[in-house]
């Protein structure tokens, strides 16, 4: 129950931030708040993005970029956790892996965009 | 003479079969004290079927009360017997026989009869599962999880309020349930999967449950045993690669269009992570370290 309530509070906070960000600063605000939110909880960011889109069929290009940036920010958080281990053999590998992951995501996004690939 | 009613005959045949199935389970006990047995169950089930056929409410009630009274008298004669499973099963069998006659209720009568028979034969397994397999804490967590879904969700108000309409209690709670469900399933996967299968399985399940908790746990392990740094780095990357399809799944519940748009980049990220992790894990390097995965 505790973790679930905590997620509820975090999610409400992130929902507020991303809504406020996109309301006040447009898509740039949404991108920045998504990246910041990714430092706290990726699930919360993605769900608040998904919620603002809801059932709509057309998806803003930006929303996908927001997802990748949130994942990237989350990778920074994980790298921080790994750094706490104090073992370069561990955290440097993790950071390298995350760099590859995020770079791949960004390259694929900018090269292929958001073409619908396969239906679920 | 009335015409032969095939459907009715089937109804009584089902009733007899259900009585046999449930009664058979009662014959296994090596307990010598008398109690309702196989034939009694068949008779009760057929009595129920007869009551349904005659369709006299008074008769049905009287027979059920009578059956209960007979079993009560039996119990009084043998005070050393404990538990009332047999008696309750006998009453239920009467009702199941009743249900087998009517065409509309037949399916539920048959299926409930089979469920009852399974429940009766798996006494040990059910007890072991309820008391040993599921710990007190897990039971408590399960109750809370169900309360999240069935109690709190129905109490929350609909609609949105606050600046930018961000405060939508019911919607927010739906997401809480979604994320809690994934972690809940992940938790029990970790529990029931053999930890001896090692680091790969724990990493995958860790990625499904909570990558932040998993990465934190693995980092602590590395701090304690630096010689496992290589395989654990691979495991942490594996867990974090699994996170991307998991994110897609969660998003797909709310906005299928967004999930579809993000499909290609997120799958690519997973593949990149898997490749990186495969390069980092040397086969046979280090012992399989079971990392603890927290709740959410």
């Amino acid at each position: 129950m505790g973790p679930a309530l905590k997620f509820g509070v975090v999610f409400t906070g992130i929902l507020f931030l991303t809504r406020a960000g996109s309301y006040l600063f447009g898509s740039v605000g949404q991108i920045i708040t998504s990246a910041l939110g990714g430092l706290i909880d990726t699930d919360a960011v993605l769900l608040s993005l998904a919620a603002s889109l809801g059932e709509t069929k057309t998806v803003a290009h930006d929303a996908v970029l927001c997802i990748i940036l949130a994942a990237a920010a989350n990778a920074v958080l994980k790298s921080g956790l790994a750094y706490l281990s104090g073992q370069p053999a561990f955290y440097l590998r993790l950071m390298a892996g995350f760099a590859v992951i995020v770079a791949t995501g960004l390259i694929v996004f900018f090269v292929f965009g958001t073409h619908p690939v396969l239906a679920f | 003479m009335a015409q032969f009613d095939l459907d009715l005959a089937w109804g009584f045949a089902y009733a007899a079969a259900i009585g046999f199935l449930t009664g058979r389970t009662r014959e296994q006990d090596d307990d010598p004290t008398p109690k309702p047995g196989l034939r009694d169950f068949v008779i009760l089930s057929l009595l129920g079927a007869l009551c349904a056929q005659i369709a006299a409410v008074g008769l049905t009630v009287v027979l059920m009360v009578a059956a209960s009274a007979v079993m009560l008298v039996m119990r009084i004669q043998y005070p050393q017997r404990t538990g009332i499973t047999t008696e309750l099963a006998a009453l239920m069998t009467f009702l199941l026989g009743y249900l087998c006659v009517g065409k509309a209720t037949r399916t539920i009568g048959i299926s409930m009869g089979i469920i009852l028979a399974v429940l009766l034969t798996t006494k040990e397994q059910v007890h072991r599962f309820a008391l040993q397999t599921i710990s007190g804490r897990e039971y408590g967590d399960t109750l809370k999880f169900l309360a999240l879904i069935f109690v709190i969700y129905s109490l929350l108000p609909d609609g949105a309020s606050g600046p930018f309409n961000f405060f939508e209690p019911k919607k927010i709670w739906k997401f809480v349930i979604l994320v809690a469900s994934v972690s809940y399933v992940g938790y029990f996967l970790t529990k029931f999967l053999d930890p001896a299968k090692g680091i790969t399985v724990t990493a995958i399940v860790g990625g499904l449950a909570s990558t932040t908790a998993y990465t934190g746990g693995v980092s602590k392990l590395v701090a304690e045993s630096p010689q496992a740094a290589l395989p654990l780095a691979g495991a942490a990357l594996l867990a974090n690669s699994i996170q991307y399809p998991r994110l897609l799944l969660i998003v797909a519940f709310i906005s299928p269009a967004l999930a579809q748009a993000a499909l290609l980049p997120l799958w690519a990220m997973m593949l990149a992570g898997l490749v990186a992790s495969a390069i980092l894990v040397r086969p046979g390097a280090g012992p399989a370290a079971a990392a603890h995965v927290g709740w959410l």
Side-chain angles (χ1 to χ4, degrees):
Chain A
M1 189 71 104
L5 289 176
K6 210 172 85 189
F7 178 79
V9 171
V10 168
F11 178 62
T12 312
I14 286 178
L15 195 62
F16 175 72
L17 277 181
T18 50
R19 292 259 162 105
S22 65
Y23 189 82
L24 297 175
F25 306 106
S27 57
V28 176
Q30 196 183 30
I31 288 169
I32 291 171
T33 48
S34 294
L36 287 177
L39 281 173
I40 305 163
D41 193 314
T42 343
D43 287 347
V45 175
L46 266 65
L47 285 173
S48 75
L49 286 168
S52 64
L53 290 166
E55 296 294 316
T56 47
K57 294 286 176 220
T58 50
V59 170
H61 202 247
D62 288 339
V64 179
L65 184 61
C66 286
I67 289 181
I68 297 172
L69 289 180
N74 197 249
V76 172
L77 167 78
K78 306 278 179 47
S79 304
L81 283 175
Y83 183 74
L84 292 179
S85 72
Q87 299 298 326
F90 176 71
Y91 67 74
L92 288 180
R93 276 184 172 76
L94 211 58
M95 288 171 185
F98 277 131
V100 170
I101 291 175
V102 171
T104 308
L106 287 173
I107 290 169
V108 169
F109 173 73
F110 283 114
V111 173
F112 296 100
T114 53
H115 296 300
V117 191
L118 291 166
F120 270 85
Chain B
M1 196 180 147
Q3 213 188 331
F4 178 69
D5 186 342
L6 183 67
D7 189 63
L8 188 64
W10 272 118
F12 276 84
Y14 286 132
I18 292 298
F20 179 83
L21 280 180
T22 53
R24 170 69 180 75
T25 66
R26 299 290 86 193
E27 295 284 342
Q28 287 172 330
D29 286 0
D30 31 9
D31 176 14
T33 42
K35 59 180 174 181
L38 174 57
R39 287 175 306 153
D40 306 312
F41 273 78
V42 177
I43 292 172
L44 271 174
S45 185
L46 287 175
L47 265 183
L50 278 173
C51 285
Q53 174 61 17
I54 296 166
V57 179
L59 180 68
T60 311
V61 172
V62 167
L63 275 174
M64 265 195 107
V65 171
S68 312
V70 168
M71 288 188 288
L72 188 67
V73 170
M74 248 179 122
R75 286 304 293 262
I76 291 168
Q77 284 176 329
Y78 298 96
Q80 68 272 33
R81 271 196 58 206
T82 52
I84 55 163
T85 314
T86 304
E87 284 77 5
L88 290 179
L91 281 181
M92 186 162 165
T93 303
F94 178 88
L95 196 61
L96 292 173
Y98 189 101
L99 292 176
C100 280
V101 172
K103 244 189 151 159
T105 54
R106 187 169 293 165
T107 318
I108 189 169
I110 294 168
S111 48
M112 288 304 288
I114 292 164
I115 289 171
L116 176 65
V118 169
L119 189 68
L120 290 174
T121 40
T122 50
K123 180 182 174 182
E124 276 82 30
Q125 288 97 312
V126 169
H127 277 226
R128 203 176 332 120
F129 180 75
L131 298 176
Q132 289 166 29
T133 311
I134 306 291
S135 74
R137 196 178 144 214
E138 286 158 357
Y139 175 65
D141 281 345
T142 305
L143 278 183
K144 286 173 195 163
F145 179 63
L146 292 174
L148 286 185
I149 301 174
F150 293 101
V151 183
I152 299 178
Y153 182 69
S154 48
L155 290 176
L156 289 173
D158 265 322
S161 56
F164 322 111
N165 275 339
F166 82 101
F167 195 63
E168 303 172 82
K170 202 146 197 163
K171 205 166 177 183
I172 288 172
W173 202 252
K174 203 163 103 188
F175 297 151
V176 170
I177 291 173
L178 190 59
V179 172
S181 307
V182 173
S183 300
Y184 186 79
V185 172
Y187 174 82
F188 280 98
L189 281 178
T190 341
K191 184 180 160 76
F192 292 118
L193 287 176
D194 188 2
K197 287 206 179 111
I199 200 163
T200 312
V201 172
T202 24
I204 290 172
V205 175
L208 288 176
S210 165
T211 42
T212 308
Y214 182 80
T215 312
V218 166
S219 302
K220 259 194 212 111
L221 272 179
V222 172
E224 286 158 17
S225 45
Q227 74 280 3
L230 279 182
L232 286 177
L237 279 173
L238 177 61
N240 280 289
S241 311
I242 297 300
Q243 180 196 18
Y244 302 116
R246 170 179 170 273
L247 289 174
L248 269 180
L249 182 73
I250 291 182
V251 169
F253 272 106
I254 310 299
S255 168
L258 179 60
Q260 202 168 336
L263 192 64
L264 196 53
L266 284 186
W267 276 109
M269 288 165 89
M270 181 195 72
L271 283 177
L274 289 180
V275 169
S277 131
I279 291 170
L280 288 167
V281 182
R282 306 287 195 279
H292 289 284
V293 177
W295 241 101
L296 274 176

